[in-house]
Amino acid sequence: MIDMALWIALALFCAAIVLNFYRAVVGPSLPDRVLAVDTMYMNSIALIVLFGIWVNNKDYFEAALLIAMLGFVSTIAICKYLLRGDIIE
Amino acid sequence: MLDTIIEGAVAFMLIAGGAFAFIGSLGMTHLKDFYMRLHGPSKTTTLGVGCTLIGSLIYFSREDGPIIQELLITISAFITAPVSAHMLAKSALHHKLKPDPRTRGNPVELESDKPRHTIEEAPQGDSPLP
Amino acid sequence: MIPPTRWLPMPVLSLLLLVVWLLLQQSVALGQWLLGGVLAILIPVVCRPFWERQPTIKRPLKLLGYFLRVLGDIVTANIQVSKLILDPRGQMRPAFVEYPLTLRENFPITILASTITMTPGTVSAHLRLDGRTLLIHALDVADTRALIDEIHQRYERPLMEIFES
């Protein structure tokens, strides 16, 4: 049962990442692209956790934790840049 | 019997997580303007990833006792997601992205900061300036 | 709550650091307790100057109830937003709503803004510089007045009771 669920969840998360990628490429504005990348790292955390279940190894948790931390900090940094680094300011 | 219940719970959590994350990304792809697109990732994707993590927590706790490390990622995801959504909305307001025409309400932040009058039209009269 | 002292300026933060350290190490051996305890005392003392004054939590039990309520609301919010996204007719009524704040301190306002973002159909977008209004974007709202009242009743009043009372 878990195998089946694992495959379905993997497929759904991969589809989500493809949709995010579409938005990151097409996205008409800069905040759109940042949002897409932000969502992409959230989804990749879930992908890594699912991979950890697949190979039955719980050490992948630490990679997921690192991605969560770095992703949050980089999103905030880019937002700060968008808010403050404007030429007209 | 207990094994079946636990496996069912793990399977349910994984599928629910995947479905929520997919719906969040779908919303981000097909909604009309940035402010509406922000809703999908900030809420739905966070819960999706949270569900997946709880599923993996149950899965790894099956054999050797409870392992609650994964709760750390879940909690940090739920704390950080609103903050990054807020920052993204702020930067969108700063860039004055146009909202969908159906949007009601007209915040000051979105009005253009061009002066209302040109220099010739500027109000004349006894202004204190030289 | 525990009163702050000179060597323990932020007791709650210290406790949190210790718990997170033990969770990360996956063990409750004596050495980990000692190391975590040293870190939990050292880190707040070192970064004390960067922190704003922390509000005191007057009613910890009520805070727990608040978190449980928000957790329940997050699930309903997600089901609601999923329905809106999957609705093929796409009849949404988005709106910008200006929410007048009655909370005054920074930390409760932060919690309120995060709660608004995580719960049904609303994202907090901007806190005006004077700290009096919060700009909210709502995905599907019929009556803005009712939305403001609901947020006030459901989230802001408990927060006031917890932090400011």
Side-chain angles (χ1 to χ4, degrees), chain B residues 39 43-44 69 104 109, chain C residues 26 78 96 126 128 137 141:
Chain B
H39 286 265
K43 287 193 264 282
T44 327
Q69 279 176 328
R104 282 164 296 150
E109 282 81 4
Chain C
Q26 280 288 297
N78 277 286
F96 278 107
H126 188 57
R128 298 265 163 80
H137 183 266
V141 59

Side-chain angles (χ1 to χ4, degrees), chain B residues 20 23-24 26-28 30-31 33 35-40 42-48 66-69 71-72 78-79 81-83 85-86 89-90 93 99-100 102-110, chain C residues 20 23-26 74-75 77-79 81-82 85-87 90-98 113-128 134-135 137-139 141-144:
Chain B
F20 274 131
I23 291 171
L26 193 70
M28 193 181 69
H30 88 151
L31 290 180
D33 69 346
Y35 305 98
M36 284 154 83
R37 286 199 278 267
L38 193 57
H39 286 265
S42 71
K43 287 193 264 282
T44 327
T45 301
T46 313
L47 188 74
I67 291 172
I68 44 178
Q69 279 176 328
L71 267 186
L72 279 180
F78 275 99
I79 292 175
V83 179
H86 185 90
K90 264 182 95 126
L93 283 172
D100 195 63
R102 285 174 300 172
T103 310
R104 282 164 296 150
N106 199 10
V108 200
E109 282 81 4
L110 283 177
Chain C
V20 169
L23 275 180
L24 276 177
Q25 294 298 330
Q26 280 288 297
I74 287 174
V75 177
N78 277 286
I79 294 167
V81 171
S82 306
I85 289 174
L86 291 179
D87 190 3
Q91 285 173 333
M92 296 180 194
R93 291 161 292 180
F96 278 107
V97 181
E98 285 179 16
S114 302
T115 314
I116 288 172
T117 303
M118 293 309 289
T119 50
T122 45
V123 166
S124 66
H126 188 57
L127 176 66
R128 298 265 163 80
L134 197 61
L135 187 67
H137 183 266
L139 192 55
V141 59
D143 181 8
T144 51

Side-chain angles (χ1 to χ4, degrees), chain A residues 4-83:
Chain A
M4 194 69 197
L6 206 55
W7 279 109
I8 296 174
L10 275 172
L12 284 170
F13 275 109
C14 287
I17 287 186
V18 170
L19 289 177
N20 296 338
F21 188 70
Y22 165 79
R23 178 53 70 194
V25 172
V26 171
S29 66
L30 221 44
D32 268 311
R33 291 172 211 264
V34 182
L35 177 66
V37 174
D38 182 76
T39 320
M40 214 191 261
Y41 92 73
M42 286 297 280
N43 285 328
S44 66
I45 292 173
L47 267 190
I48 286 182
V49 169
L50 288 176
F51 184 70
I53 296 182
W54 192 15
V55 298
N56 207 351
N57 184 346
K58 52 181 178 276
D59 292 342
Y60 286 92
F61 147 84
E62 312 210 342
L65 189 63
L66 277 180
I67 293 185
M69 300 276 158
L70 287 179
F72 170 66
V73 172
S74 52
T75 306
I76 296 297
I78 296 174
C79 285
K80 269 292 189 200
Y81 174 72
L82 289 184
L83 277 171

Side-chain angles (χ1 to χ4, degrees), chain C residues 53-108:
Chain C
R53 199 179 62 76
Q54 295 297 297
T56 47
I57 301 170
K58 303 253 168 48
R59 299 181 190 172
L61 272 183
K62 224 165 184 172
L63 189 66
L64 194 69
Y66 180 78
F67 276 125
L68 289 180
R69 167 189 285 184
V70 170
L71 213 58
D73 281 358
I74 287 174
V75 177
T76 50
N78 277 286
I79 294 167
Q80 194 187 341
V81 171
S82 306
K83 266 187 202 155
L84 281 172
I85 289 174
L86 291 179
D87 190 3
R89 289 160 298 163
Q91 285 173 333
M92 296 180 194
R93 291 161 292 180
F96 278 107
V97 181
E98 285 179 16
Y99 180 77
L101 284 166
T102 36
L103 288 168
R104 281 293 164 268
E105 295 201 45
N106 286 342
F107 186 63

